[in-house]
Amino acid sequence: MNTWFITGCSSGLGRGIAEAALRRGEQVAVTARLPEKVEALAKAYPERALALRLDLNDKAGVERAVQDACDRFGKIDVLVNNAGHGYRAAIEESEPEQVEELFNTNFFAPMELIRMVLPKMRARRKGMIVNVTSIGAVRGALGNGYYSAAKGALELATEALAKEVKHLGIRTMLVEPGAFRTSFYDEGLKGSGASIADYDVLAAQYRKGNAVNLRNQPGNPEKGGEIIVETALREDAPFRLLLGSDGVRAAETELEHRLTELRAWAGVSARSDFQR
């Protein structure tokens, strides 16, 4: 039986992951900023689920949550960094305090959680770290530059991490979801209070005040959670797992464009070499 520590379980993909792991008979530390939102899961699985308060902007609280999970279950086999939120603003409109909080929630806090669980994973020569990023980490979207940057930073750090811990028996996986029918587009989405008139022509495409959640996103968080758990437990799990047909299409388009551009300019790139 594995023990999972999952962030952001109050709704959406995080809750889908937690429910899927519990249905499989696993032990799960189910975390949320408001633990009352996950109490029902703990009550449904009293022997295998532990509801914990976790605010990623409270480092001492994060440390307590990790310790409480270890005290209850004795170990953490699978860490899932899922909690996060979006941020809509043109780069010039973005507010520094909001950007700092965004990076802490989506990048620095998940990396600190990884640092907290690695010592015991190393000691046991076993563990799995799953970092949920976004299709936004594959390509920067209009008005989502800082969100894409934070998720992109998590991806690149995870690439390095994978190389550092593979020989220790610790596995890593990135999950890149497309659009899922969750609260991400409601309370999970923040925006700048600043606006610059020169960007008004684009405002309908990105500003939070103009966003209307029609709840018609293709991604099903319950199915997504089941796929993440099922895939993470496989020995042949991929390093990157795209979720959703829209995510696959967006990644294909972006990567094909990059490859086309790379090949078109390869000759120019090579001219910077010393001549042999």
Side-chain angles (χ1 to χ4, degrees), residues 37-253:
K37 290 191 173 183
V38 292
E39 281 293 346
L41 277 177
K43 289 179 180 178
Y45 300 91
E47 300 299 319
R48 295 187 287 107
L50 175 64
L52 293 170
R53 180 185 182 275
L54 184 73
D55 181 344
L56 292 177
N57 290 291
D58 175 10
K59 184 177 178 181
V62 174
E63 291 175 343
R64 281 195 302 272
V66 170
Q67 188 59 55
D68 287 347
C70 291
D71 289 346
R72 169 70 180 274
F73 300 121
K75 59 177 181 171
I76 294 174
D77 296 296
V78 185
L79 169 65
V80 182
N81 279 309
N82 164 76
H85 66 78
Y87 179 66
R88 294 280 182 86
I91 297 298
E92 191 179 357
E93 293 174 334
S94 301
E95 297 174 311
E97 299 82 6
Q98 292 179 321
V99 172
E100 182 178 352
E101 187 277 331
L102 177 79
F103 267 80
N104 188 69
T105 300
N106 289 297
F107 175 64
F108 289 113
M111 294 305 297
E112 188 62 24
L113 258 172
I114 291 169
R115 282 168 39 83
M116 289 179 192
V117 304
L118 275 177
K120 289 187 177 180
M121 286 186 176
R122 282 192 293 105
R124 292 187 296 111
R125 290 298 196 262
K126 180 184 178 184
M128 179 73 168
I129 295 169
V130 179
N131 287 335
V132 180
T133 60
S134 167
I135 190 60
V138 180
R139 50 97 176 97
L142 173 68
N144 285 274
Y146 279 115
Y147 175 71
S148 289
K151 290 296 190 179
L154 186 57
E155 291 227 342
L156 289 173
T158 307
E159 285 188 13
L161 175 69
K163 297 178 176 71
E164 293 164 1
V165 300
K166 183 178 179 180
H167 73 288
L168 300 171
I170 301 169
R171 300 186 298 138
T172 53
M173 186 171 78
L174 287 168
V175 179
E176 299 170 333
F180 272 68
R181 212 167 295 181
T182 70
S183 61
F184 179 87
Y185 301 95
D186 298 312
E187 61 264 29
L189 182 62
K190 299 185 180 182
S192 173
S195 62
I196 297 172
D198 278 345
Y199 298 109
D200 286 349
V201 66
L202 304 172
Q205 300 178 60
Y206 74 87
R207 283 189 188 146
K208 178 175 168 58
N210 296 319
V212 177
N213 186 4
L214 300 176
R215 297 193 175 277
N216 60 354
Q217 296 87 2
N220 180 326
E222 291 184 6
K223 290 182 178 179
E226 184 64 43
I227 290 169
I228 290 170
V229 172
E230 174 186 298
T231 307
L233 293 174
R234 292 177 55 149
E235 289 299 322
D236 63 344
F239 177 67
R240 277 187 172 82
L241 174 67
L242 281 155
L243 279 186
S245 57
D246 61 327
V248 172
R249 287 193 300 271
E252 283 181 333
T253 299

